[in-house]
Amino acid sequence: MAYTVSKLTDYSAAALERASAELLSALEQESVAVKSEADWKIFRDRWVARKNGVLTQLNDLWLKAAPKDAKREVGQRVNEIKTRVEDVVEKSEYLQLEIATGTPQASDIVDITLPGARRSIGAEHPVIRTTNEIVSVFQKLGYSVAEGPVIETDYYNFEALNFPPNHPARDTQDTLFIAGQAAKAGRERLLLRTHTSPVQIRTMETMRPPLRIVIPGTVHRNDPPDASHSPMFHQVEGLAVDTNITFGDLKGTLDHAMKALFGSSVKTHFRPSFFPFTEPSAEMFVSCFICGGSGKRGAEPCRPCKQTGWIEILGCGMVDPNVFEFVKDNGYDPKKVSGFAFGMGADRIALLKYGVDDIQLFFQGDVRFLRQWA
Ligand code: PHE
């Protein structure tokens, strides 16, 4: 007859002892009868299942039913039994045997002829790698790294960079504006920064001259994606401010940087340009490091430089005195300091460096493509 919990009628110490001995001996007997996993599960449920397991029944039939003056005694007994039952269930001989002999379960069988599950460690993204390379060239020249927000105000992205309100130069930036800003004053309206140049202002607001910084970061423009455009891309900006900084310093610095990035044989070339925040402004070209500046690859025309022998790399110029006016109070008196700034597209440089012909490949996340940089 299987053991069943019965109500106690006698709460004397001797009666309790008898009842508990009877229970524990039933536990012992049933435990040695367990021979398989299925047996053990039945055994476990019978004794410790929350719903109607022996322990639960003990609680109801012994403890809750006990008269007040016996509760303490019965409680202690029930606790002792509980510990013992749990112990026996957990350390069932069947389980010990199972561990000792390692009787294999279907889920444990390892087929050592299958290839292992490999977790790859990943690789630096080519655009990030290029960004880091550019940044480190300038760090070696003593530049520090500055960063700023991607969601920017009109003030930092345009106004303090000498783009007057409604000036047509703003149109060249294809700005993506944050919706629902109409109630705000113009300069406080939020947008996705179209270039890293706002960080020039933000840094000059907090750091006094002399200043030399590089600014890596993502920027956005409302350009439809194609092989050479992406609505999100990366720039590295630079700014140097001190007394007596000249265009010669700009040329020397950038010429050095291009040789460090593309090889010591590249030449640089500057053409006049326009940016509201630099005066004079220039576009800088490097001699094509694919065709060596000849415009030809054997008998074929060189595509990256469109047969010109020159590749446009960045925009630059001397900081416009109007820009310094916005941060004059922090030591940037345009009569005393001068500086140069430059900004380049890291994605474009990565395309050129690695001979990739479609910028979209950088942002599609196709592991087969990205693995090449592992
Ligand atoms: N911010 C300019 C652009 O995105 C690049 C630039 C930076 C030009 C600094 C001059 C000086 O086109």
Side-chain angles (χ1 to χ4, degrees), residues 173 194-197 200 221 233 235 237-238 275 277-278 281-282 314-317 341-344:
Q173 299 265 332
T194 57
H195 50 178
T196 40
S197 305
Q200 290 189 28
R221 289 189 196 178
F233 59 104
Q235 289 191 334
E237 181 102 5
F275 300 101
F277 41 94
T278 47
S281 303
L314 53 76
C316 58
F342 56 86
M344 61 191 106

Side-chain angles (χ1 to χ4, degrees), residues 109-120:
I109 295 170
V110 175
D111 181 349
I112 59 163
T113 65
L114 287 172
R118 225 186 267 198
R119 206 172 283 250
S120 57

Side-chain angles (χ1 to χ4, degrees), residues 222-267:
N222 187 16
D223 283 328
D226 65 23
S228 53
H229 294 85
S230 162
M232 185 282 307
F233 59 104
H234 300 78
Q235 289 191 334
V236 180
E237 181 102 5
L239 172 68
V241 183
D242 205 337
T243 46
N244 301 316
I245 297 257
T246 68
F247 203 91
D249 296 312
L250 179 158
K251 286 184 81 173
T253 303
L254 291 179
D255 187 76
H256 164 83
M258 294 306 120
K259 289 182 162 67
L261 283 173
F262 299 115
S264 54
S265 59
V266 300
K267 295 190 184 72

Side-chain angles (χ1 to χ4, degrees), residues 120 122-123 361-374:
S120 57
L361 288 165
F362 283 149
F363 308 124
Q364 285 161 345
D366 186 330
V367 174
R368 292 166 301 180
F369 171 74
L370 296 173
R371 219 191 326 254
Q372 298 176 91
W373 284 271

